[in-house]
Amino acid sequence: MFVFLMAPILAIVPLSFSSGAYLTYPLPGFSLRWYEDFLNSPRWMLSLKNSAIIGVASAILSMVLGTLASLGLAQWKSKWKPLVLALVLSPMVVPVVITAVGVYFFFAPLGLTGNYLGLILAHTALATPFVVITVSATLQGFDMTLARAAASLGAPPIMTFRRVILPLILPGLASGALFAFATSFDEVVTVLFLAGPEQRTLPREMFSGIRENISPTITAVAVVLTVISIGLLTMIELLRRRNERLKGNAP
């Protein structure tokens, strides 16, 4: 772990017989030049922007679709409910490469390859199950009589959801949105099949760099992604504790 975290800031010694630079051991020193290279590179910045755009859009769509699915499944009493739930959660179980191939053959005739819309829809399908799981878990402790009471007092469905249901499921909803964003931000297999040159995401750029030109900038990007992941996990833990306090299970 120490080597992984420190590798991006190690100095690189250019070799006279090569046009590039290579890692040498023993390590000659420390440097932040590869973080600077990452921040000043139009190629890396474009991939970061693409990852942010696709991740945020996928998280929003997943949040909406996952919440609607969770609310419907929570109130649906049918023998087919386990089957439908398994279908909704199947993107978490099916290998990503199989999903990516299937999505490619489905999207290609529709002209949804090589553009942002296709990537956002594909990532939404992969991320929605995380929202369904977190929101469904929150709804387990929700008393549906509160919604029925609001309806009996004349509140329309939208107001009932906004004033009664949403405040109570918000921690689970936010946790699911963070999981959805992390899933999209880290996804590379679907991007390999669907993305065009202008939609290269950060993981896709790292994958290409490892295959074509090993650069210490990649490890600098890896540290940035690690920091982002730690931040997301911290936010999820804070939301989990807030949810427990709302349920009265924590002091």
Side-chain angles (χ1 to χ4, degrees):
M1 178 61 71
F2 176 78
V3 174
F4 172 77
L5 293 176
M6 296 302 296
I9 61 175
L10 298 175
I12 306 302
V13 179
L15 301 180
S16 58
F17 58 82
S18 172
S19 59
Y22 298 88
L23 285 170
T24 61
Y25 291 91
L27 301 172
F30 300 93
S31 173
L32 296 173
R33 58 179 291 195
W34 305 114
Y35 291 101
E36 182 180 358
D37 180 67
F38 167 63
L39 296 174
N40 293 331
S41 171
R43 179 169 56 93
W44 284 108
M45 288 296 100
L46 176 62
S47 63
L48 179 61
K49 184 184 75 171
N50 288 338
S51 291
I53 292 173
I54 296 171
V56 171
S58 301
I60 293 174
L61 281 177
S62 300
M63 188 168 55
V64 174
L65 296 177
T67 302
L68 293 175
S70 300
L71 291 172
L73 289 170
Q75 301 180 52
W76 188 32
K77 308 299 182 182
S78 172
K79 64 178 181 179
W80 302 107
K81 179 178 177 179
L83 180 61
V84 174
L85 182 60
L87 181 64
V88 172
L89 300 182
S90 61
M92 297 180 63
V93 182
V94 178
V96 180
V97 65
I98 296 178
T99 302
V101 172
V103 169
Y104 174 78
F105 281 109
F106 181 74
F107 280 3
L110 302 176
L112 292 176
T113 58
N115 55 54
Y116 286 103
L117 179 60
L119 277 174
I120 291 171
L121 293 177
H123 282 193
T124 299
L126 293 173
T128 299
F130 293 95
V131 181
V132 172
I133 289 176
T134 56
V135 175
S136 296
T138 306
L139 287 172
Q140 292 296 322
F142 178 74
D143 188 0
M144 285 296 177
T145 57
L146 297 175
R148 288 193 289 269
S152 67
L153 294 174
I158 295 179
M159 181 177 292
T160 300
F161 173 77
R162 185 167 59 89
R163 295 290 186 88
V164 179
I165 300 176
L166 183 60
L168 295 177
I169 68 171
L170 188 58
L173 181 60
S175 298
L178 290 175
F179 274 117
F181 176 80
T183 300
S184 173
F185 199 82
D186 189 54
E187 210 285 319
V188 64
V189 178
T190 304
V191 178
L192 290 172
F193 281 87
L194 298 180
E198 298 300 321
Q199 294 86 42
R200 292 168 72 96
T201 61
L202 206 55
R204 174 70 173 86
E205 196 65 46
M206 294 175 68
F207 181 84
S208 299
I210 292 173
R211 289 189 58 191
E212 302 166 4
N213 178 29
I214 297 179
S215 168
T217 307
I218 297 174
T219 51
V221 177
V223 172
V224 172
L225 292 178
T226 302
V227 172
I228 293 175
S229 300
I230 292 173
L232 291 176
L233 289 174
T234 302
M235 293 177 64
I236 290 172
E237 176 62 20
L238 293 175
L239 288 170
R240 185 189 67 80
R241 294 184 179 183
R242 181 179 182 274
N243 192 31
E244 289 184 350
R245 287 196 299 270
L246 289 176
K247 291 180 178 180
N249 296 329

